[in-house]
Amino acid sequence: MYEIFSRLQSSPNLFAKILVASFFVNILALATPIYVIQVLQRYVAYGVTSTLITLVVGIVLVSIFEFFFRNIRHRMAREFETINAIISDKILKKLNSIKTSYYAFQKNFRSDIITKHVYTTQSTFSATTILTLIDVPFVLIFLLALYLIHYQLGVLASLIIFIPLIFLVLCRKKIYDLNSISHQMSLSTARLHDNSSSRFETIRYFNLLNALYNAWDRILRSSTLNKEKLEAMKNVLSSFMASSSTFMTIVIIGWGAVLAVNGEISVGALIGANILAGRAISPIIRFVQVIEPLEKASQAQKEINMFLKIADESKSGSDIRDFRGKIEIKDLQFIYPTTKNPIFENLSCIISSGNLLVVTGSNGSGKSTLLKSIIAFLDFNRGQIFYDGIEIHQLSLSWLRQNLVYMPQEPKFVDGTLLDNLIGLREIKKTEMHQILQDSDLLNYVNSNPEGIKMQMNNRGEDLPFGIRKRIALARALAVDGKVVVLDEPTESMDDKGRNSIYDLIKKFIIKEKTVIVSSQDSKIIKNANCIINLDSKPVPSITNLNKSDKL
């Protein structure tokens, strides 16, 4: 509920208007019991038709006003739902501004959970929920009316109203705990379904179905038992709320009948009191019913707020004019947060423009980690990296990325056209794009598709052969005319034609005096390096400087 009131306080003027409208809505709601009392006392007793007509016309007019006031306040309350849109916008911006190292370290980060939290908050922190909470204090209006009819009826109604609240307090923690377990079970189920769909080849061809079914059996038994308890608690709460309303009617009518027989109230007042009692307990019941979704939404909002507090990558920094491409690494150390031993440490070397640095080592030795540290994708633990003498943390990341020709080891794309994935928001001439496609050995593939460069990459390109995806990643890198070239295992999974394209490109880069950094175990690339960093040497890598290079 704190989130609801926080939103209301964000616009006190609008909140005040809603309170005024709510006051009139609840005051006008008194018209129905007053109408009933007056009809029974004045028309039934005396039979004057004009009195009945006056009462009917009056109640119709009041009902129309009440209808309009309810819709007006709901429209005002809907203005607070713009906060949901603002939060959604913040989340998308946050996803695209978080430090890249966060994604690298948080392997279990799941954006779908954030999306689910957004949906939960949007569906719960709505205008209807806001008005449900606002209506609770106005219960006093109906209780006051009951006291005016007879104080004993007011006292009885006041006591009965507290019963649903007391029962809610008793059940609240149990329902919250069961909901938390249910949430964890849903995450486990989603993970299992993801394994079945995304790892189908591994599961079916390596006989992992038994392990999958065993995991599902454990989840199913736990979730079924938990769901049974949760639904039972919800049913008890719902039944109790319905019974509370019934109990209110029984008590008011029963005791009111005694008062009527004793001549303390009229029959009309008795029926009107019953209507008032129903109006009094109705907002309380609605309030109790929204508590559970409110707690879910509040927990979801807490996790959203924690997510929004994750550090962004720096948006400041300087550019380097007339960038020459000299990179200097000093005493570099990198340790993953989940490990104790460094991937590498005490690493120092200088890479000049027109030179080829090759980072080699076995799988898992840290080749990609070193490359990502050099391009500010990962935050290293110790040391410094300089670009033309400027420390990397002082540089603008936007400028740095505009000067990088980067090809990652694992090519990843977004849904959209091939052209969108290659150039993004950049503009490029047709002749330049033709050369890029030719250099990346992608021209024939593009020409074979009727849509050409505007072909759709559905499923984020995951359905394409790995070799094609590597070529697309290479073409995307070539679309940036940067001074520094960073290629992560460029010839891996490439056929002979693809590897030859890579060799030719590296040669062109060197001729153009670009600074070339490649992670590779390809012997043909290694033998042409000016400098070799071998990460199999732990924790301090071995560095070999060569004064000459054979032609590729």
Side-chain angles (χ1 to χ4, degrees):
M1 285 188 292
Y2 171 79
E3 178 64 25
I4 290 283
F5 291 119
S6 176
R7 295 186 179 198
L8 292 173
Q9 290 172 3
S10 67
S11 181
N13 291 335
L14 181 59
F15 183 26
K17 291 177 182 178
I18 294 174
L19 286 176
V20 171
S22 297
F23 175 77
F24 281 110
V25 165
N26 285 280
I27 287 293
L28 292 172
L30 292 172
T32 301
I34 292 174
Y35 167 75
V36 171
I37 293 171
Q38 292 300 313
V39 167
L40 292 174
Q41 287 184 346
R42 298 178 64 180
Y43 175 71
V44 173
Y46 304 106
V48 180
T49 304
S50 60
T51 300
L52 178 61
I53 293 173
T54 302
L55 291 172
V56 169
V57 171
I59 191 64
V60 169
L61 291 174
V62 170
S63 298
I64 292 172
F65 276 110
E66 182 183 352
F67 172 80
F68 279 110
F69 270 111
R70 286 187 180 277
N71 281 275
I72 288 169
R73 73 167 186 160
H74 194 276
R75 178 174 294 181
M76 289 190 292
R78 289 201 299 271
E79 292 186 31
F80 285 105
E81 293 190 14
T82 57
I83 297 175
N84 292 328
I86 292 171
I87 291 175
S88 297
D89 185 61
K90 285 182 178 179
I91 287 173
L92 181 60
K93 289 179 179 177
K94 174 61 70 172
L95 286 167
N96 289 286
S97 64
I98 291 175
K99 296 182 72 172
T100 50
S101 57
Y102 175 83
Y103 288 121
F105 296 150
Q106 298 294 328
K107 299 295 185 181
N108 295 324
F109 175 78
R110 291 180 56 187
S111 59
D112 60 312
I113 296 178
I114 298 296
T115 303
K116 183 178 179 181
H117 288 337
V118 172
Y119 175 78
T120 300
T121 56
Q122 288 181 345
S123 59
T124 305
F125 297 144
S126 62
T128 302
T129 304
I130 289 173
L131 296 179
T132 297
L133 298 181
I134 287 177
D135 276 340
V136 172
F138 291 103
V139 166
L140 294 173
I141 292 176
F142 303 104
L143 291 177
L144 179 60
L146 279 168
Y147 274 100
L148 292 175
I149 292 174
H150 199 285
Y151 77 94
Q152 292 179 11
L153 296 179
V155 170
L156 289 172
S158 300
L159 293 174
I160 294 171
I161 278 175
F162 279 103
I163 294 177
L165 298 176
I166 293 171
F167 190 77
L168 173 65
V169 171
L170 296 175
C171 297
R172 187 175 178 180
K173 187 177 186 307
K174 182 66 174 177
I175 291 177
Y176 178 81
D177 292 341
L178 291 171
N179 272 324
S180 298
I181 296 172
S182 180
H183 176 64
Q184 294 300 321
M185 291 294 103
S186 67
L187 293 180
S188 299
T189 301
R191 185 68 174 176
L192 199 65
H193 289 169
D194 179 65
N195 283 335
S196 298
S197 59
S198 63
R199 304 291 188 270
F200 65 91
E201 187 174 331
T202 302
I203 290 171
R204 298 184 190 184
Y205 286 93
F206 295 97
N207 297 319
L208 298 180
L209 281 172
N210 191 47
L212 191 73
Y213 290 146
N214 287 338
W216 171 241
D217 185 57
R218 290 193 297 271
I219 293 172
L220 186 62
R221 279 188 279 111
S222 299
S223 62
T224 301
L225 180 62
N226 183 77
K227 188 171 182 61
E228 183 179 341
K229 292 179 180 178
L230 179 59
E231 290 302 315
M233 286 298 300
K234 287 182 178 180
N235 181 66
V236 169
L237 185 61
S238 176
S239 300
F240 190 83
M241 294 304 105
S243 299
S244 297
S245 182
T246 304
F247 184 65
M248 175 73 87
T249 300
I250 292 170
V251 171
I252 295 298
I253 292 293
W255 190 251
V258 173
L259 295 175
V261 170
N262 292 336
E264 297 184 44
I265 62 172
S266 66
V267 174
L270 169 60
I271 297 174
N274 184 52
I275 297 173
L276 287 169
R279 290 288 185 118
I281 199 170
S282 181
I284 301 298
I285 291 175
R286 291 198 301 270
F287 169 72
V288 170
Q289 289 172 339
V290 301
I291 286 296
E292 183 206 349
L294 270 176
E295 289 187 339
K296 284 183 179 179
S298 296
Q299 183 61 37
Q301 187 64 49
K302 284 181 182 178
E303 295 191 25
I304 288 174
N305 292 340
M306 290 176 60
F307 170 73
L308 292 174
K309 290 179 181 178
I310 297 173
D312 288 340
E313 61 183 16
S314 175
K315 293 181 175 60
S316 60
S318 58
D319 301 351
I320 300 177
R321 293 185 179 180
D322 301 321
F323 180 47
R324 298 187 304 275
K326 180 182 178 181
I327 299 176
E328 183 178 1
I329 301 172
K330 286 187 177 181
D331 192 31
L332 203 65
Q333 180 195 66
F334 188 95
I335 304 175
Y336 275 102
T338 55
T339 61
K340 294 182 179 179
N341 298 324
I343 302 298
F344 50 80
E345 64 179 2
N346 299 333
L347 174 58
S348 299
C349 70
I350 297 175
I351 314 111
S352 300
S353 59
N355 286 346
L356 170 62
L357 167 68
V358 175
V359 181
T360 188
S362 56
N363 293 338
S365 60
K367 299 188 296 296
S368 295
T369 300
L370 176 55
L371 264 59
K372 290 176 180 178
S373 298
I374 293 174
I375 63 174
F377 187 90
L378 293 178
D379 295 329
F380 43 86
N381 301 86
R382 190 186 70 210
Q384 293 175 298
I385 298 176
F386 296 90
Y387 278 68
D388 276 4
I390 307 296
E391 215 277 327
I392 193 170
H393 294 127
Q394 298 177 13
L395 294 174
S396 163
L397 287 175
S398 176
W399 174 87
L400 181 60
R401 289 163 184 165
Q402 290 172 7
N403 283 273
L404 283 175
V405 178
Y406 176 54
M407 177 183 176
Q409 182 178 10
E410 292 290 335
K412 294 182 179 180
F413 311 99
V414 298
D415 290 328
T417 66
L418 174 59
L419 182 62
D420 292 335
N421 277 275
L422 291 180
I423 65 173
L425 296 176
R426 292 185 298 273
E427 294 184 359
I428 194 168
K429 296 178 180 178
K430 287 186 177 181
T431 54
E432 293 176 349
M433 178 55 71
H434 184 275
Q435 187 62 50
I436 288 171
L437 296 177
Q438 192 172 47
D439 289 343
S440 58
D441 190 30
L442 204 58
L443 189 59
N444 290 336
Y445 173 75
V446 171
N447 289 336
S448 66
N449 190 291
E451 296 180 331
I453 195 72
K454 293 185 178 180
M455 72 175 75
Q456 287 292 324
M457 294 183 66
N458 298 319
N459 193 26
R460 296 181 288 190
E462 296 293 329
D463 299 332
L464 297 174
F466 189 74
I468 294 296
R469 287 160 54 200
K470 291 280 284 190
R471 286 172 168 81
I472 295 174
L474 177 59
R476 180 177 58 188
L478 296 176
V480 180
D481 187 24
K483 185 67 176 176
V484 176
V485 179
V486 178
L487 308 177
D488 195 352
E489 296 285 4
T491 58
E492 185 181 51
S493 302
M494 286 282 203
D495 54 22
D496 289 341
K497 189 177 180 181
R499 284 194 293 272
N500 287 329
S501 296
I502 297 293
Y503 301 148
D504 291 340
L505 280 171
I506 292 176
K507 180 180 178 181
K508 289 179 181 179
F509 290 143
I510 294 173
I511 292 173
K512 292 180 179 180
E513 292 293 309
K514 294 182 183 290
T515 305
V516 185
I517 304 172
V518 181
S519 73
S520 180
Q521 299 185 69
D522 188 317
S523 58
K524 194 166 184 179
I525 293 178
I526 293 173
K527 74 176 184 179
N528 290 284
N530 298 94
C531 180
I532 301 172
I533 297 177
N534 188 350
L535 292 179
D536 282 336
S537 176
K538 298 291 183 183
V540 181
S542 65
I543 301 177
T544 305
N545 288 298
L546 303 172
N547 293 324
K548 63 179 181 178
S549 169
D550 297 328
K551 290 184 179 180
L552 283 165

